[in-house]
Amino acid sequence: YYPYTLHHQHNKAVILSHKLKESQAKKQFEFSTMPVRQMSGRRQERRSSSAVNLAGSIIQGDGTSKRRSSGYSLPLMDSLKCPIQDSSSSPFIPDGLTSSVYGTDNPPEDWCDVGLLIPHEALRREMAAMVDSVSALKKDYDDSVDDWRVLYFAEWYVDSFSKVVHSHHQNEETIYFPWIQTKANIPEKKMAKDHGELMEMINNMEAVCDSIITKEGKGCSNEIEKLQQQAPIFEKHMLEHLKEEEEMVPPLLRENFTQEEEDKCIQKILKREGLSG
């Protein structure tokens, strides 16, 4: 629910999916959703060639379309809204989940399990793409040839990734968790970083990306080195954070709330994001 803005923030989004194939490293450098905002000149021209529809397909400038190579890991999103079924098998499709809590051996069973799993799956996939993209950058790149690679990553990070992560945490802190606390006590995190610590990491990387944008991607070897140091550390702590929430929240929901009550809370989150569901 919350980071559906990964695909249509402000109901308008664009995708830049530039696959950079290095003959030796053979690494894929892929960028996903970037929200449209008022821009001029070179940045707007680069972004106007692609747009994304709400189903997650990339609509190319020539009118053709193709499915995203990496999207939500819950293949049938509509199935997540199905009611709890009287069956020993899970009504959901666990194949491809990135969660370390749920998978084919331990599939989500009901709405309590799925509540946080939907946004967390989207975040984990975007984080993986972010780390892979940073790793593919070369510190000794040629400004005249590869500056756009560095600049595209920085713009995607600032315009999309950072905003989505901030929005996700804000929705949890101001809407979702306070709602849970009306009937249950949320245990303190034992191992994972809290939201404030994670946001500090996000902001530090955003400052580096702002520097890259200011330089228009030229002469950014120091910035690339910082990102390559910071991105994997952030991913590690974020994964631990998401794991603890997926272990902690479902039992609280199951013991204290109904699916209808949670849906009302989710509607508040969607409304805050300018969406409906």
mmCIF file of all heavy atoms in Angstrom, residues 243-265:
data_model
loop_
_atom_site.group_PDB
_atom_site.id
_atom_site.type_symbol
_atom_site.label_atom_id
_atom_site.label_comp_id
_atom_site.label_asym_id
_atom_site.label_seq_id
_atom_site.Cartn_x
_atom_site.Cartn_y
_atom_site.Cartn_z
ATOM 1 N N LYS A 243 12.768 -7.104 8.535
ATOM 2 C CA LYS A 243 12.592 -8.464 9.053
ATOM 3 C C LYS A 243 11.948 -8.435 10.441
ATOM 4 O O LYS A 243 11.000 -9.183 10.710
ATOM 5 C CB LYS A 243 13.941 -9.178 9.113
ATOM 6 C CG LYS A 243 13.887 -10.592 9.708
ATOM 7 C CD LYS A 243 15.265 -11.232 9.672
ATOM 8 C CE LYS A 243 15.224 -12.661 10.197
ATOM 9 N NZ LYS A 243 14.970 -12.705 11.665
ATOM 10 N N GLU A 244 12.451 -7.576 11.314
ATOM 11 C CA GLU A 244 11.890 -7.510 12.662
ATOM 12 C C GLU A 244 10.431 -7.072 12.637
ATOM 13 O O GLU A 244 9.605 -7.582 13.396
ATOM 14 C CB GLU A 244 12.714 -6.552 13.525
ATOM 15 C CG GLU A 244 13.971 -7.180 14.071
ATOM 16 C CD GLU A 244 14.511 -6.447 15.281
ATOM 17 O OE1 GLU A 244 13.937 -5.407 15.655
ATOM 18 O OE2 GLU A 244 15.508 -6.916 15.861
ATOM 19 N N GLU A 245 10.093 -6.136 11.754
ATOM 20 C CA GLU A 245 8.704 -5.696 11.663
ATOM 21 C C GLU A 245 7.808 -6.829 11.167
ATOM 22 O O GLU A 245 6.686 -6.995 11.651
ATOM 23 C CB GLU A 245 8.594 -4.493 10.738
ATOM 24 C CG GLU A 245 9.172 -3.211 11.329
ATOM 25 C CD GLU A 245 8.980 -2.007 10.438
ATOM 26 O OE1 GLU A 245 8.624 -2.183 9.251
ATOM 27 O OE2 GLU A 245 9.196 -0.879 10.928
ATOM 28 N N GLU A 246 8.281 -7.602 10.198
ATOM 29 C CA GLU A 246 7.480 -8.704 9.656
ATOM 30 C C GLU A 246 7.306 -9.831 10.662
ATOM 31 O O GLU A 246 6.351 -10.605 10.580
ATOM 32 C CB GLU A 246 8.110 -9.220 8.361
ATOM 33 C CG GLU A 246 7.955 -8.246 7.206
ATOM 34 C CD GLU A 246 8.766 -8.626 5.980
ATOM 35 O OE1 GLU A 246 9.235 -9.782 5.901
ATOM 36 O OE2 GLU A 246 8.939 -7.762 5.091
ATOM 37 N N GLU A 247 8.225 -9.947 11.613
ATOM 38 C CA GLU A 247 8.089 -10.941 12.676
ATOM 39 C C GLU A 247 7.204 -10.424 13.810
ATOM 40 O O GLU A 247 6.458 -11.194 14.434
ATOM 41 C CB GLU A 247 9.466 -11.299 13.229
ATOM 42 C CG GLU A 247 10.354 -12.047 12.254
ATOM 43 C CD GLU A 247 11.765 -12.239 12.778
ATOM 44 O OE1 GLU A 247 12.205 -11.414 13.620
ATOM 45 O OE2 GLU A 247 12.421 -13.209 12.357
ATOM 46 N N MET A 248 7.257 -9.118 14.060
ATOM 47 C CA MET A 248 6.609 -8.532 15.231
ATOM 48 C C MET A 248 5.134 -8.166 15.007
ATOM 49 O O MET A 248 4.284 -8.407 15.862
ATOM 50 C CB MET A 248 7.381 -7.272 15.641
ATOM 51 C CG MET A 248 6.742 -6.441 16.731
ATOM 52 S SD MET A 248 7.685 -4.924 17.007
ATOM 53 C CE MET A 248 7.388 -4.052 15.447
ATOM 54 N N VAL A 249 4.813 -7.601 13.848
ATOM 55 C CA VAL A 249 3.490 -7.009 13.638
ATOM 56 C C VAL A 249 2.367 -8.031 13.418
ATOM 57 O O VAL A 249 1.281 -7.884 14.003
ATOM 58 C CB VAL A 249 3.539 -5.993 12.473
ATOM 59 C CG1 VAL A 249 2.131 -5.543 12.082
ATOM 60 C CG2 VAL A 249 4.386 -4.790 12.873
ATOM 61 N N PRO A 250 2.529 -9.070 12.583
ATOM 62 C CA PRO A 250 1.405 -9.981 12.323
ATOM 63 C C PRO A 250 0.741 -10.568 13.565
ATOM 64 O O PRO A 250 -0.501 -10.597 13.642
ATOM 65 C CB PRO A 250 2.031 -11.063 11.432
ATOM 66 C CG PRO A 250 3.106 -10.343 10.699
ATOM 67 C CD PRO A 250 3.681 -9.402 11.715
ATOM 68 N N PRO A 251 1.496 -11.031 14.581
ATOM 69 C CA PRO A 251 0.817 -11.552 15.778
ATOM 70 C C PRO A 251 -0.022 -10.495 16.493
ATOM 71 O O PRO A 251 -1.098 -10.805 17.027
ATOM 72 C CB PRO A 251 1.979 -12.022 16.661
ATOM 73 C CG PRO A 251 3.097 -12.284 15.718
ATOM 74 C CD PRO A 251 2.959 -11.243 14.653
ATOM 75 N N LEU A 252 0.459 -9.245 16.487
ATOM 76 C CA LEU A 252 -0.300 -8.166 17.122
ATOM 77 C C LEU A 252 -1.610 -7.919 16.388
ATOM 78 O O LEU A 252 -2.651 -7.688 17.010
ATOM 79 C CB LEU A 252 0.538 -6.884 17.154
ATOM 80 C CG LEU A 252 1.844 -6.934 17.948
ATOM 81 C CD1 LEU A 252 2.571 -5.594 17.860
ATOM 82 C CD2 LEU A 252 1.571 -7.296 19.409
ATOM 83 N N LEU A 253 -1.554 -7.958 15.058
ATOM 84 C CA LEU A 253 -2.765 -7.769 14.264
ATOM 85 C C LEU A 253 -3.743 -8.908 14.501
ATOM 86 O O LEU A 253 -4.951 -8.701 14.685
ATOM 87 C CB LEU A 253 -2.410 -7.689 12.775
ATOM 88 C CG LEU A 253 -1.553 -6.513 12.319
ATOM 89 C CD1 LEU A 253 -1.249 -6.633 10.833
ATOM 90 C CD2 LEU A 253 -2.236 -5.185 12.613
ATOM 91 N N ARG A 254 -3.228 -10.117 14.494
ATOM 92 C CA ARG A 254 -4.076 -11.306 14.593
ATOM 93 C C ARG A 254 -4.795 -11.376 15.947
ATOM 94 O O ARG A 254 -5.930 -11.840 16.034
ATOM 95 C CB ARG A 254 -3.205 -12.550 14.371
ATOM 96 C CG ARG A 254 -3.962 -13.808 14.020
ATOM 97 C CD ARG A 254 -3.014 -14.890 13.547
ATOM 98 N NE ARG A 254 -2.527 -14.633 12.190
ATOM 99 C CZ ARG A 254 -1.259 -14.382 11.879
ATOM 100 N NH1 ARG A 254 -0.344 -14.335 12.846
ATOM 101 N NH2 ARG A 254 -0.908 -14.153 10.637
ATOM 102 N N GLU A 255 -4.141 -10.899 16.982
ATOM 103 C CA GLU A 255 -4.696 -11.003 18.328
ATOM 104 C C GLU A 255 -5.609 -9.837 18.698
ATOM 105 O O GLU A 255 -6.421 -9.961 19.631
ATOM 106 C CB GLU A 255 -3.551 -11.085 19.349
ATOM 107 C CG GLU A 255 -2.711 -12.348 19.243
ATOM 108 C CD GLU A 255 -1.453 -12.272 20.097
ATOM 109 O OE1 GLU A 255 -1.326 -11.292 20.862
ATOM 110 O OE2 GLU A 255 -0.605 -13.177 19.991
ATOM 111 N N ASN A 256 -5.484 -8.717 17.979
ATOM 112 C CA ASN A 256 -6.168 -7.517 18.451
ATOM 113 C C ASN A 256 -7.080 -6.817 17.450
ATOM 114 O O ASN A 256 -7.878 -5.964 17.842
ATOM 115 C CB ASN A 256 -5.126 -6.487 18.929
ATOM 116 C CG ASN A 256 -4.305 -6.987 20.101
ATOM 117 O OD1 ASN A 256 -4.772 -6.994 21.238
ATOM 118 N ND2 ASN A 256 -3.071 -7.417 19.814
ATOM 119 N N PHE A 257 -6.976 -7.160 16.150
ATOM 120 C CA PHE A 257 -7.697 -6.391 15.142
ATOM 121 C C PHE A 257 -8.408 -7.305 14.149
ATOM 122 O O PHE A 257 -8.089 -8.486 14.020
ATOM 123 C CB PHE A 257 -6.737 -5.471 14.375
ATOM 124 C CG PHE A 257 -6.055 -4.451 15.235
ATOM 125 C CD1 PHE A 257 -4.792 -4.699 15.770
ATOM 126 C CD2 PHE A 257 -6.677 -3.244 15.525
ATOM 127 C CE1 PHE A 257 -4.159 -3.764 16.565
ATOM 128 C CE2 PHE A 257 -6.049 -2.299 16.321
ATOM 129 C CZ PHE A 257 -4.791 -2.554 16.850
ATOM 130 N N THR A 258 -9.353 -6.711 13.445
ATOM 131 C CA THR A 258 -10.006 -7.391 12.332
ATOM 132 C C THR A 258 -9.444 -6.840 11.025
ATOM 133 O O THR A 258 -8.829 -5.761 10.995
ATOM 134 C CB THR A 258 -11.524 -7.165 12.350
ATOM 135 O OG1 THR A 258 -11.791 -5.768 12.105
ATOM 136 C CG2 THR A 258 -12.118 -7.584 13.681
ATOM 137 N N GLN A 259 -9.679 -7.582 9.959
ATOM 138 C CA GLN A 259 -9.218 -7.139 8.650
ATOM 139 C C GLN A 259 -9.896 -5.820 8.254
ATOM 140 O O GLN A 259 -9.285 -4.965 7.643
ATOM 141 C CB GLN A 259 -9.499 -8.204 7.602
ATOM 142 C CG GLN A 259 -8.932 -7.887 6.228
ATOM 143 C CD GLN A 259 -9.064 -9.046 5.263
ATOM 144 O OE1 GLN A 259 -9.624 -10.079 5.604
ATOM 145 N NE2 GLN A 259 -8.555 -8.886 4.064
ATOM 146 N N GLU A 260 -11.161 -5.673 8.626
ATOM 147 C CA GLU A 260 -11.876 -4.445 8.305
ATOM 148 C C GLU A 260 -11.274 -3.241 9.026
ATOM 149 O O GLU A 260 -11.185 -2.145 8.456
ATOM 150 C CB GLU A 260 -13.360 -4.589 8.683
ATOM 151 C CG GLU A 260 -14.142 -5.573 7.818
ATOM 152 C CD GLU A 260 -13.782 -7.024 8.096
ATOM 153 O OE1 GLU A 260 -13.258 -7.308 9.204
ATOM 154 O OE2 GLU A 260 -14.010 -7.880 7.201
ATOM 155 N N GLU A 261 -10.833 -3.440 10.258
ATOM 156 C CA GLU A 261 -10.208 -2.347 11.013
ATOM 157 C C GLU A 261 -8.888 -1.933 10.373
ATOM 158 O O GLU A 261 -8.574 -0.738 10.275
ATOM 159 C CB GLU A 261 -9.976 -2.780 12.465
ATOM 160 C CG GLU A 261 -11.236 -2.880 13.287
ATOM 161 C CD GLU A 261 -10.982 -3.448 14.667
ATOM 162 O OE1 GLU A 261 -10.127 -4.361 14.796
ATOM 163 O OE2 GLU A 261 -11.626 -2.993 15.621
ATOM 164 N N GLU A 262 -8.115 -2.935 9.942
ATOM 165 C CA GLU A 262 -6.846 -2.580 9.301
ATOM 166 C C GLU A 262 -7.085 -1.866 7.983
ATOM 167 O O GLU A 262 -6.351 -0.943 7.624
ATOM 168 C CB GLU A 262 -5.990 -3.822 9.067
ATOM 169 C CG GLU A 262 -4.532 -3.471 8.805
ATOM 170 C CD GLU A 262 -3.865 -4.314 7.719
ATOM 171 O OE1 GLU A 262 -4.582 -4.907 6.892
ATOM 172 O OE2 GLU A 262 -2.632 -4.349 7.685
ATOM 173 N N ASP A 263 -8.107 -2.293 7.250
ATOM 174 C CA ASP A 263 -8.393 -1.664 5.961
ATOM 175 C C ASP A 263 -8.687 -0.179 6.135
ATOM 176 O O ASP A 263 -8.277 0.643 5.310
ATOM 177 C CB ASP A 263 -9.570 -2.361 5.289
ATOM 178 C CG ASP A 263 -9.847 -1.802 3.902
ATOM 179 O OD1 ASP A 263 -8.971 -1.939 3.026
ATOM 180 O OD2 ASP A 263 -10.924 -1.213 3.694
ATOM 181 N N LYS A 264 -9.395 0.196 7.200
ATOM 182 C CA LYS A 264 -9.669 1.605 7.456
ATOM 183 C C LYS A 264 -8.380 2.378 7.683
ATOM 184 O O LYS A 264 -8.232 3.520 7.232
ATOM 185 C CB LYS A 264 -10.594 1.751 8.661
ATOM 186 C CG LYS A 264 -12.012 1.258 8.424
ATOM 187 C CD LYS A 264 -12.877 1.434 9.662
ATOM 188 C CE LYS A 264 -14.298 0.930 9.417
ATOM 189 N NZ LYS A 264 -15.152 1.076 10.638
ATOM 190 N N CYS A 265 -7.435 1.754 8.376
ATOM 191 C CA CYS A 265 -6.138 2.397 8.599
ATOM 192 C C CYS A 265 -5.383 2.563 7.280
ATOM 193 O O CYS A 265 -4.790 3.614 7.018
ATOM 194 C CB CYS A 265 -5.318 1.570 9.585
ATOM 195 S SG CYS A 265 -3.668 2.244 9.924
#
